[in-house]
mmCIF file of all heavy atoms in Angstrom:
data_model
loop_
_atom_site.group_PDB
_atom_site.id
_atom_site.type_symbol
_atom_site.label_atom_id
_atom_site.label_comp_id
_atom_site.label_asym_id
_atom_site.label_seq_id
_atom_site.Cartn_x
_atom_site.Cartn_y
_atom_site.Cartn_z
ATOM 1 N N PRO A 29 64.579 -32.455 -16.927
ATOM 2 C CA PRO A 29 64.133 -33.630 -16.174
ATOM 3 C C PRO A 29 65.287 -34.388 -15.502
ATOM 4 O O PRO A 29 66.321 -34.628 -16.140
ATOM 5 C CB PRO A 29 63.450 -34.495 -17.239
ATOM 6 C CG PRO A 29 64.064 -34.065 -18.537
ATOM 7 C CD PRO A 29 64.355 -32.605 -18.386
ATOM 8 N N PRO A 30 65.132 -34.764 -14.241
ATOM 9 C CA PRO A 30 66.167 -35.551 -13.559
ATOM 10 C C PRO A 30 66.394 -36.894 -14.265
ATOM 11 O O PRO A 30 65.496 -37.430 -14.909
ATOM 12 C CB PRO A 30 65.571 -35.775 -12.165
ATOM 13 C CG PRO A 30 64.561 -34.690 -11.989
ATOM 14 C CD PRO A 30 64.006 -34.443 -13.358
ATOM 15 N N GLY A 31 67.600 -37.406 -14.128
ATOM 16 C CA GLY A 31 67.905 -38.713 -14.694
ATOM 17 C C GLY A 31 67.929 -38.748 -16.201
ATOM 18 O O GLY A 31 67.839 -39.820 -16.811
ATOM 19 N N HIS A 32 68.064 -37.584 -16.847
ATOM 20 C CA HIS A 32 68.074 -37.491 -18.308
ATOM 21 C C HIS A 32 69.372 -36.847 -18.795
ATOM 22 O O HIS A 32 70.059 -36.156 -18.043
ATOM 23 C CB HIS A 32 66.895 -36.662 -18.813
ATOM 24 C CG HIS A 32 65.584 -37.387 -18.785
ATOM 25 N ND1 HIS A 32 64.967 -37.775 -17.611
ATOM 26 C CD2 HIS A 32 64.758 -37.794 -19.805
ATOM 27 C CE1 HIS A 32 63.832 -38.389 -17.901
ATOM 28 N NE2 HIS A 32 63.684 -38.416 -19.216
ATOM 29 N N VAL A 33 69.659 -37.052 -20.072
ATOM 30 C CA VAL A 33 70.820 -36.449 -20.714
ATOM 31 C C VAL A 33 70.394 -35.877 -22.068
ATOM 32 O O VAL A 33 69.641 -36.516 -22.815
ATOM 33 C CB VAL A 33 71.975 -37.466 -20.862
ATOM 34 C CG1 VAL A 33 71.547 -38.686 -21.659
ATOM 35 C CG2 VAL A 33 73.198 -36.803 -21.479
ATOM 36 N N TYR A 34 70.846 -34.663 -22.335
ATOM 37 C CA TYR A 34 70.577 -33.998 -23.621
ATOM 38 C C TYR A 34 71.801 -34.125 -24.508
ATOM 39 O O TYR A 34 72.936 -34.038 -24.043
ATOM 40 C CB TYR A 34 70.263 -32.521 -23.400
ATOM 41 C CG TYR A 34 70.255 -31.707 -24.680
ATOM 42 C CD1 TYR A 34 69.124 -31.665 -25.494
ATOM 43 C CD2 TYR A 34 71.387 -30.988 -25.077
ATOM 44 C CE1 TYR A 34 69.118 -30.932 -26.672
ATOM 45 C CE2 TYR A 34 71.390 -30.243 -26.261
ATOM 46 C CZ TYR A 34 70.252 -30.228 -27.059
ATOM 47 O OH TYR A 34 70.257 -29.503 -28.210
ATOM 48 N N ASP A 35 71.574 -34.300 -25.816
ATOM 49 C CA ASP A 35 72.666 -34.431 -26.779
ATOM 50 C C ASP A 35 72.355 -33.549 -27.988
ATOM 51 O O ASP A 35 71.347 -33.732 -28.680
ATOM 52 C CB ASP A 35 72.788 -35.892 -27.220
ATOM 53 C CG ASP A 35 74.036 -36.147 -28.055
ATOM 54 O OD1 ASP A 35 74.682 -35.172 -28.480
ATOM 55 O OD2 ASP A 35 74.359 -37.325 -28.271
ATOM 56 N N SER A 36 73.218 -32.557 -28.236
ATOM 57 C CA SER A 36 72.986 -31.641 -29.351
ATOM 58 C C SER A 36 73.187 -32.324 -30.703
ATOM 59 O O SER A 36 72.722 -31.817 -31.732
ATOM 60 C CB SER A 36 73.927 -30.435 -29.248
ATOM 61 O OG SER A 36 75.281 -30.831 -29.438
ATOM 62 N N LYS A 37 73.857 -33.465 -30.708
ATOM 63 C CA LYS A 37 74.119 -34.163 -31.974
ATOM 64 C C LYS A 37 72.824 -34.495 -32.706
ATOM 65 O O LYS A 37 72.730 -34.382 -33.917
ATOM 66 C CB LYS A 37 74.941 -35.430 -31.713
ATOM 67 C CG LYS A 37 75.357 -36.165 -32.973
ATOM 68 C CD LYS A 37 76.423 -37.205 -32.673
ATOM 69 C CE LYS A 37 75.921 -38.291 -31.735
ATOM 70 N NZ LYS A 37 76.926 -39.369 -31.540
ATOM 71 N N ASP A 38 71.801 -34.897 -31.946
ATOM 72 C CA ASP A 38 70.497 -35.184 -32.556
ATOM 73 C C ASP A 38 69.372 -34.449 -31.846
ATOM 74 O O ASP A 38 68.194 -34.781 -32.032
ATOM 75 C CB ASP A 38 70.221 -36.691 -32.568
ATOM 76 C CG ASP A 38 70.339 -37.310 -31.175
ATOM 77 O OD1 ASP A 38 70.516 -36.552 -30.192
ATOM 78 O OD2 ASP A 38 70.246 -38.540 -31.062
ATOM 79 N N ASP A 39 69.743 -33.469 -31.015
ATOM 80 C CA ASP A 39 68.760 -32.651 -30.291
ATOM 81 C C ASP A 39 67.804 -33.519 -29.468
ATOM 82 O O ASP A 39 66.606 -33.244 -29.380
ATOM 83 C CB ASP A 39 67.970 -31.769 -31.259
ATOM 84 C CG ASP A 39 67.231 -30.636 -30.549
ATOM 85 O OD1 ASP A 39 67.737 -30.147 -29.533
ATOM 86 O OD2 ASP A 39 66.128 -30.269 -31.005
ATOM 87 N N SER A 40 68.357 -34.559 -28.845
ATOM 88 C CA SER A 40 67.525 -35.499 -28.090
ATOM 89 C C SER A 40 67.739 -35.346 -26.586
ATOM 90 O O SER A 40 68.806 -34.946 -26.129
ATOM 91 C CB SER A 40 67.861 -36.942 -28.496
ATOM 92 O OG SER A 40 69.209 -37.251 -28.129
ATOM 93 N N THR A 41 66.697 -35.668 -25.833
ATOM 94 C CA THR A 41 66.784 -35.758 -24.383
ATOM 95 C C THR A 41 66.251 -37.130 -23.994
ATOM 96 O O THR A 41 65.077 -37.444 -24.229
ATOM 97 C CB THR A 41 65.955 -34.661 -23.696
ATOM 98 O OG1 THR A 41 66.441 -33.372 -24.104
ATOM 99 C CG2 THR A 41 66.063 -34.768 -22.188
ATOM 100 N N THR A 42 67.115 -37.970 -23.422
ATOM 101 C CA THR A 42 66.735 -39.349 -23.105
ATOM 102 C C THR A 42 67.016 -39.653 -21.646
ATOM 103 O O THR A 42 67.909 -39.088 -21.025
ATOM 104 C CB THR A 42 67.515 -40.339 -23.978
ATOM 105 O OG1 THR A 42 68.930 -40.092 -23.828
ATOM 106 C CG2 THR A 42 67.141 -40.190 -25.439
ATOM 107 N N ARG A 43 66.213 -40.583 -21.110
ATOM 108 C CA ARG A 43 66.398 -40.977 -19.713
ATOM 109 C C ARG A 43 67.491 -42.044 -19.625
ATOM 110 O O ARG A 43 67.428 -43.062 -20.323
ATOM 111 C CB ARG A 43 65.090 -41.501 -19.119
ATOM 112 C CG ARG A 43 65.201 -41.867 -17.644
ATOM 113 C CD ARG A 43 63.842 -41.846 -16.962
ATOM 114 N NE ARG A 43 62.926 -42.833 -17.487
ATOM 115 C CZ ARG A 43 62.824 -44.086 -17.016
ATOM 116 N NH1 ARG A 43 63.605 -44.474 -16.007
ATOM 117 N NH2 ARG A 43 61.969 -44.928 -17.527
ATOM 118 N N TYR A 44 68.481 -41.798 -18.758
ATOM 119 C CA TYR A 44 69.544 -42.780 -18.549
ATOM 120 C C TYR A 44 69.349 -43.571 -17.263
ATOM 121 O O TYR A 44 69.951 -44.636 -17.080
ATOM 122 C CB TYR A 44 70.918 -42.095 -18.520
ATOM 123 C CG TYR A 44 71.137 -41.189 -17.327
ATOM 124 C CD1 TYR A 44 71.528 -41.696 -16.090
ATOM 125 C CD2 TYR A 44 70.953 -39.812 -17.433
ATOM 126 C CE1 TYR A 44 71.725 -40.866 -14.996
ATOM 127 C CE2 TYR A 44 71.150 -38.972 -16.345
ATOM 128 C CZ TYR A 44 71.529 -39.507 -15.120
ATOM 129 O OH TYR A 44 71.712 -38.690 -14.033
ATOM 130 N N TYR A 45 68.525 -43.084 -16.365
ATOM 131 C CA TYR A 45 68.346 -43.707 -15.037
ATOM 132 C C TYR A 45 67.167 -44.669 -15.096
ATOM 133 O O TYR A 45 66.021 -44.261 -15.309
ATOM 134 C CB TYR A 45 68.107 -42.622 -14.008
ATOM 135 C CG TYR A 45 67.956 -43.114 -12.576
ATOM 136 C CD1 TYR A 45 68.916 -43.943 -11.994
ATOM 137 C CD2 TYR A 45 66.864 -42.728 -11.800
ATOM 138 C CE1 TYR A 45 68.785 -44.374 -10.677
ATOM 139 C CE2 TYR A 45 66.732 -43.147 -10.489
ATOM 140 C CZ TYR A 45 67.691 -43.972 -9.935
ATOM 141 O OH TYR A 45 67.544 -44.400 -8.628
ATOM 142 N N HIS A 46 67.443 -45.958 -14.897
ATOM 143 C CA HIS A 46 66.404 -46.992 -14.988
ATOM 144 C C HIS A 46 66.475 -47.915 -13.771
ATOM 145 O O HIS A 46 66.852 -49.086 -13.900
ATOM 146 C CB HIS A 46 66.584 -47.806 -16.269
ATOM 147 C CG HIS A 46 66.492 -47.013 -17.530
ATOM 148 N ND1 HIS A 46 65.294 -46.700 -18.137
ATOM 149 C CD2 HIS A 46 67.457 -46.436 -18.293
ATOM 150 C CE1 HIS A 46 65.514 -45.985 -19.221
ATOM 151 N NE2 HIS A 46 66.821 -45.801 -19.344
ATOM 152 N N PRO A 47 66.100 -47.451 -12.586
ATOM 153 C CA PRO A 47 66.150 -48.316 -11.408
ATOM 154 C C PRO A 47 65.033 -49.357 -11.451
ATOM 155 O O PRO A 47 64.044 -49.202 -12.189
ATOM 156 C CB PRO A 47 65.929 -47.329 -10.255
ATOM 157 C CG PRO A 47 65.095 -46.245 -10.850
ATOM 158 C CD PRO A 47 65.581 -46.103 -12.273
ATOM 159 N N THR A 48 65.168 -50.392 -10.659
ATOM 160 C CA THR A 48 64.196 -51.487 -10.680
ATOM 161 C C THR A 48 62.816 -51.052 -10.214
ATOM 162 O O THR A 48 61.804 -51.646 -10.597
ATOM 163 C CB THR A 48 64.677 -52.641 -9.783
ATOM 164 O OG1 THR A 48 64.869 -52.138 -8.440
ATOM 165 C CG2 THR A 48 65.994 -53.214 -10.286
ATOM 166 N N TRP A 49 62.728 -50.002 -9.415
ATOM 167 C CA TRP A 49 61.454 -49.589 -8.827
ATOM 168 C C TRP A 49 60.719 -48.534 -9.662
ATOM 169 O O TRP A 49 59.627 -48.100 -9.285
ATOM 170 C CB TRP A 49 61.681 -49.027 -7.421
ATOM 171 C CG TRP A 49 62.764 -47.974 -7.359
ATOM 172 C CD1 TRP A 49 64.092 -48.176 -7.083
ATOM 173 C CD2 TRP A 49 62.611 -46.564 -7.597
ATOM 174 N NE1 TRP A 49 64.776 -46.988 -7.135
ATOM 175 C CE2 TRP A 49 63.901 -45.975 -7.441
ATOM 176 C CE3 TRP A 49 61.540 -45.745 -7.930
ATOM 177 C CZ2 TRP A 49 64.123 -44.609 -7.607
ATOM 178 C CZ3 TRP A 49 61.760 -44.382 -8.094
ATOM 179 C CH2 TRP A 49 63.035 -43.832 -7.925
ATOM 180 N N TRP A 50 61.277 -48.125 -10.792
ATOM 181 C CA TRP A 50 60.798 -46.948 -11.507
ATOM 182 C C TRP A 50 59.329 -47.046 -11.946
ATOM 183 O O TRP A 50 58.593 -46.060 -11.937
ATOM 184 C CB TRP A 50 61.673 -46.687 -12.725
ATOM 185 C CG TRP A 50 61.409 -45.356 -13.358
ATOM 186 C CD1 TRP A 50 60.689 -45.108 -14.487
ATOM 187 C CD2 TRP A 50 61.845 -44.083 -12.880
ATOM 188 N NE1 TRP A 50 60.650 -43.769 -14.754
ATOM 189 C CE2 TRP A 50 61.361 -43.108 -13.771
ATOM 190 C CE3 TRP A 50 62.608 -43.663 -11.797
ATOM 191 C CZ2 TRP A 50 61.606 -41.748 -13.619
ATOM 192 C CZ3 TRP A 50 62.857 -42.308 -11.633
ATOM 193 C CH2 TRP A 50 62.359 -41.366 -12.528
ATOM 194 N N ASN A 51 58.872 -48.226 -12.329
ATOM 195 C CA ASN A 51 57.512 -48.378 -12.842
ATOM 196 C C ASN A 51 56.497 -48.690 -11.742
ATOM 197 O O ASN A 51 55.359 -49.084 -12.048
ATOM 198 C CB ASN A 51 57.468 -49.473 -13.910
ATOM 199 C CG ASN A 51 58.198 -49.067 -15.167
ATOM 200 O OD1 ASN A 51 58.261 -47.883 -15.513
ATOM 201 N ND2 ASN A 51 58.782 -50.036 -15.859
ATOM 202 N N GLY A 52 56.888 -48.503 -10.505
ATOM 203 C CA GLY A 52 55.996 -48.862 -9.400
ATOM 204 C C GLY A 52 54.748 -48.021 -9.288
ATOM 205 O O GLY A 52 53.816 -48.385 -8.569
ATOM 206 N N ASP A 53 54.687 -46.895 -9.994
ATOM 207 C CA ASP A 53 53.494 -46.047 -9.929
ATOM 208 C C ASP A 53 52.534 -46.320 -11.079
ATOM 209 O O ASP A 53 51.476 -45.683 -11.183
ATOM 210 C CB ASP A 53 53.895 -44.578 -9.939
ATOM 211 C CG ASP A 53 54.686 -44.184 -11.182
ATOM 212 O OD1 ASP A 53 55.294 -45.075 -11.793
ATOM 213 O OD2 ASP A 53 54.715 -42.985 -11.511
ATOM 214 N N MET A 54 52.876 -47.258 -11.933
ATOM 215 C CA MET A 54 52.054 -47.528 -13.120
ATOM 216 C C MET A 54 50.937 -48.521 -12.807
ATOM 217 O O MET A 54 51.099 -49.457 -12.017
ATOM 218 C CB MET A 54 52.919 -48.072 -14.254
ATOM 219 C CG MET A 54 53.948 -47.088 -14.788
ATOM 220 S SD MET A 54 54.992 -47.811 -16.067
ATOM 221 C CE MET A 54 53.754 -48.229 -17.312
ATOM 222 N N GLU A 55 49.788 -48.298 -13.431
ATOM 223 C CA GLU A 55 48.683 -49.241 -13.334
ATOM 224 C C GLU A 55 48.881 -50.343 -14.375
ATOM 225 O O GLU A 55 49.542 -50.151 -15.384
ATOM 226 C CB GLU A 55 47.352 -48.519 -13.599
ATOM 227 C CG GLU A 55 47.098 -47.317 -12.693
ATOM 228 C CD GLU A 55 46.688 -47.705 -11.295
ATOM 229 O OE1 GLU A 55 46.420 -48.905 -11.077
ATOM 230 O OE2 GLU A 55 46.636 -46.817 -10.418
ATOM 231 N N GLY A 56 48.305 -51.498 -14.138
ATOM 232 C CA GLY A 56 48.321 -52.551 -15.142
ATOM 233 C C GLY A 56 49.540 -53.454 -15.082
ATOM 234 O O GLY A 56 50.332 -53.396 -14.130
ATOM 235 N N PRO A 57 49.737 -54.272 -16.097
ATOM 236 C CA PRO A 57 50.787 -55.306 -16.077
ATOM 237 C C PRO A 57 52.205 -54.752 -16.067
ATOM 238 O O PRO A 57 53.136 -55.457 -15.676
ATOM 239 C CB PRO A 57 50.512 -56.102 -17.366
ATOM 240 C CG PRO A 57 49.760 -55.153 -18.257
ATOM 241 C CD PRO A 57 48.931 -54.321 -17.332
ATOM 242 N N ASN A 58 52.399 -53.521 -16.517
ATOM 243 C CA ASN A 58 53.747 -52.959 -16.535
ATOM 244 C C ASN A 58 54.173 -52.383 -15.192
ATOM 245 O O ASN A 58 55.329 -52.047 -14.994
ATOM 246 C CB ASN A 58 53.847 -51.876 -17.614
ATOM 247 C CG ASN A 58 53.726 -52.447 -19.014
ATOM 248 O OD1 ASN A 58 54.187 -53.552 -19.269
ATOM 249 N ND2 ASN A 58 53.089 -51.703 -19.906
ATOM 250 N N GLY A 59 53.221 -52.233 -14.294
ATOM 251 C CA GLY A 59 53.550 -51.733 -12.967
ATOM 252 C C GLY A 59 54.233 -52.807 -12.131
ATOM 253 O O GLY A 59 53.951 -54.003 -12.280
ATOM 254 N N THR A 60 55.165 -52.390 -11.287
ATOM 255 C CA THR A 60 55.900 -53.351 -10.453
ATOM 256 C C THR A 60 55.687 -53.003 -8.992
ATOM 257 O O THR A 60 56.042 -51.910 -8.555
ATOM 258 C CB THR A 60 57.400 -53.324 -10.777
ATOM 259 O OG1 THR A 60 57.889 -51.983 -10.646
ATOM 260 C CG2 THR A 60 57.669 -53.812 -12.190
ATOM 261 N N ILE A 61 55.104 -53.913 -8.251
ATOM 262 C CA ILE A 61 54.905 -53.737 -6.819
ATOM 263 C C ILE A 61 55.826 -54.729 -6.103
ATOM 264 O O ILE A 61 55.717 -55.939 -6.305
ATOM 265 C CB ILE A 61 53.439 -54.001 -6.410
ATOM 266 C CG1 ILE A 61 52.490 -53.148 -7.254
ATOM 267 C CG2 ILE A 61 53.260 -53.714 -4.920
ATOM 268 C CD1 ILE A 61 52.714 -51.655 -7.115
ATOM 269 N N PRO A 62 56.761 -54.254 -5.283
ATOM 270 C CA PRO A 62 57.737 -55.155 -4.678
ATOM 271 C C PRO A 62 57.123 -56.093 -3.636
ATOM 272 O O PRO A 62 56.101 -55.774 -3.024
ATOM 273 C CB PRO A 62 58.738 -54.196 -4.015
ATOM 274 C CG PRO A 62 57.966 -52.944 -3.769
ATOM 275 C CD PRO A 62 56.983 -52.840 -4.904
ATOM 276 N N THR A 63 57.765 -57.221 -3.467
ATOM 277 C CA THR A 63 57.321 -58.207 -2.469
ATOM 278 C C THR A 63 58.472 -58.609 -1.543
ATOM 279 O O THR A 63 58.338 -59.545 -0.765
ATOM 280 C CB THR A 63 56.775 -59.462 -3.168
ATOM 281 O OG1 THR A 63 57.796 -60.010 -4.020
ATOM 282 C CG2 THR A 63 55.550 -59.133 -4.005
ATOM 283 N N THR A 64 59.598 -57.891 -1.617
ATOM 284 C CA THR A 64 60.780 -58.241 -0.824
ATOM 285 C C THR A 64 60.574 -57.877 0.647
ATOM 286 O O THR A 64 60.233 -56.727 0.956
ATOM 287 C CB THR A 64 62.018 -57.505 -1.344
ATOM 288 O OG1 THR A 64 62.164 -57.756 -2.740
ATOM 289 C CG2 THR A 64 63.267 -57.938 -0.600
ATOM 290 N N PRO A 65 60.787 -58.821 1.573
ATOM 291 C CA PRO A 65 60.701 -58.480 2.998
ATOM 292 C C PRO A 65 61.788 -57.481 3.378
ATOM 293 O O PRO A 65 62.854 -57.431 2.760
ATOM 294 C CB PRO A 65 60.923 -59.829 3.696
ATOM 295 C CG PRO A 65 60.707 -60.871 2.657
ATOM 296 C CD PRO A 65 61.097 -60.243 1.357
ATOM 297 N N SER A 66 61.531 -56.678 4.378
ATOM 298 C CA SER A 66 62.524 -55.688 4.801
ATOM 299 C C SER A 66 63.698 -56.378 5.487
ATOM 300 O O SER A 66 63.522 -57.273 6.308
ATOM 301 C CB SER A 66 61.889 -54.671 5.755
ATOM 302 O OG SER A 66 61.371 -55.307 6.903
ATOM 303 N N ASP A 67 64.897 -55.969 5.127
ATOM 304 C CA ASP A 67 66.133 -56.434 5.764
ATOM 305 C C ASP A 67 66.652 -55.251 6.582
ATOM 306 O O ASP A 67 67.279 -54.338 6.046
ATOM 307 C CB ASP A 67 67.141 -56.853 4.696
ATOM 308 C CG ASP A 67 68.437 -57.424 5.276
ATOM 309 O OD1 ASP A 67 68.800 -57.043 6.410
ATOM 310 O OD2 ASP A 67 69.100 -58.208 4.577
ATOM 311 N N LEU A 68 66.381 -55.263 7.879
ATOM 312 C CA LEU A 68 66.694 -54.107 8.716
ATOM 313 C C LEU A 68 68.190 -53.824 8.770
ATOM 314 O O LEU A 68 68.612 -52.661 8.787
ATOM 315 C CB LEU A 68 66.137 -54.319 10.127
ATOM 316 C CG LEU A 68 64.618 -54.511 10.226
ATOM 317 C CD1 LEU A 68 64.195 -54.623 11.684
ATOM 318 C CD2 LEU A 68 63.869 -53.391 9.535
ATOM 319 N N THR A 69 68.993 -54.864 8.777
ATOM 320 C CA THR A 69 70.446 -54.668 8.788
ATOM 321 C C THR A 69 70.903 -54.004 7.502
ATOM 322 O O THR A 69 71.730 -53.078 7.509
ATOM 323 C CB THR A 69 71.173 -56.011 8.975
ATOM 324 O OG1 THR A 69 70.783 -56.594 10.224
ATOM 325 C CG2 THR A 69 72.684 -55.810 8.972
ATOM 326 N N LEU A 70 70.368 -54.447 6.377
ATOM 327 C CA LEU A 70 70.737 -53.863 5.086
ATOM 328 C C LEU A 70 70.291 -52.401 5.008
ATOM 329 O O LEU A 70 71.028 -51.552 4.499
ATOM 330 C CB LEU A 70 70.113 -54.670 3.954
ATOM 331 C CG LEU A 70 70.461 -54.219 2.524
ATOM 332 C CD1 LEU A 70 71.966 -54.320 2.287
ATOM 333 C CD2 LEU A 70 69.699 -55.071 1.501
ATOM 334 N N ILE A 71 69.105 -52.106 5.496
ATOM 335 C CA ILE A 71 68.619 -50.728 5.510
ATOM 336 C C ILE A 71 69.571 -49.846 6.310
ATOM 337 O O ILE A 71 69.968 -48.761 5.875
ATOM 338 C CB ILE A 71 67.189 -50.659 6.089
ATOM 339 C CG1 ILE A 71 66.197 -51.294 5.105
ATOM 340 C CG2 ILE A 71 66.794 -49.215 6.403
ATOM 341 C CD1 ILE A 71 64.791 -51.447 5.665
ATOM 342 N N ARG A 72 69.949 -50.325 7.495
ATOM 343 C CA ARG A 72 70.826 -49.534 8.363
ATOM 344 C C ARG A 72 72.204 -49.351 7.724
ATOM 345 O O ARG A 72 72.721 -48.227 7.667
ATOM 346 C CB ARG A 72 70.971 -50.219 9.726
ATOM 347 C CG ARG A 72 71.859 -49.452 10.706
ATOM 348 C CD ARG A 72 71.877 -50.075 12.089
ATOM 349 N NE ARG A 72 72.488 -51.405 12.097
ATOM 350 C CZ ARG A 72 71.800 -52.544 12.212
ATOM 351 N NH1 ARG A 72 70.485 -52.516 12.329
ATOM 352 N NH2 ARG A 72 72.415 -53.712 12.213
ATOM 353 N N GLU A 73 72.794 -50.413 7.236
ATOM 354 C CA GLU A 73 74.154 -50.321 6.705
ATOM 355 C C GLU A 73 74.211 -49.515 5.409
ATOM 356 O O GLU A 73 75.192 -48.807 5.156
ATOM 357 C CB GLU A 73 74.708 -51.729 6.487
ATOM 358 C CG GLU A 73 74.950 -52.476 7.798
ATOM 359 C CD GLU A 73 75.474 -53.898 7.587
ATOM 360 O OE1 GLU A 73 75.444 -54.366 6.421
ATOM 361 O OE2 GLU A 73 75.892 -54.525 8.570
ATOM 362 N N THR A 74 73.162 -49.589 4.593
ATOM 363 C CA THR A 74 73.155 -48.821 3.351
ATOM 364 C C THR A 74 73.025 -47.337 3.631
ATOM 365 O O THR A 74 73.663 -46.506 2.969
ATOM 366 C CB THR A 74 72.007 -49.292 2.434
ATOM 367 O OG1 THR A 74 72.079 -50.704 2.268
ATOM 368 C CG2 THR A 74 72.104 -48.631 1.071
#
C-alpha cells in the first residue's frame, strides 16, 4: 500500500502519510469536505 511502512521488528505495516484531505471520501462526521476558495496564484506557483 502507498504511504505505508513495513517493520519486521513487529511484522507491522502502518500508514505514515496523513494529509489534511485524506478523509474527504468518508461519509458522516469524520469526512472532511474543504471550503477553501481557490488561490489561482498559489496553484500556479506550487
Side-chain angles (χ1 to χ4, degrees):
H32 284 66
V33 58
Y34 168 83
D35 189 348
S36 67
K37 185 167 63 175
D38 55 6
D39 196 32
S40 64
T41 300
T42 55
R43 183 157 64 89
Y44 67 82
Y45 182 53
H46 300 276
T48 58
W49 50 267
W50 191 258
N51 291 330
D53 59 336
M54 295 177 61
E55 304 284 350
N58 293 325
T60 55
I61 306 300
T63 58
T64 306
S66 60
D67 183 332
L68 300 184
T69 300
L70 183 61
I71 290 172
R72 181 174 65 254
E73 292 179 349
T74 308

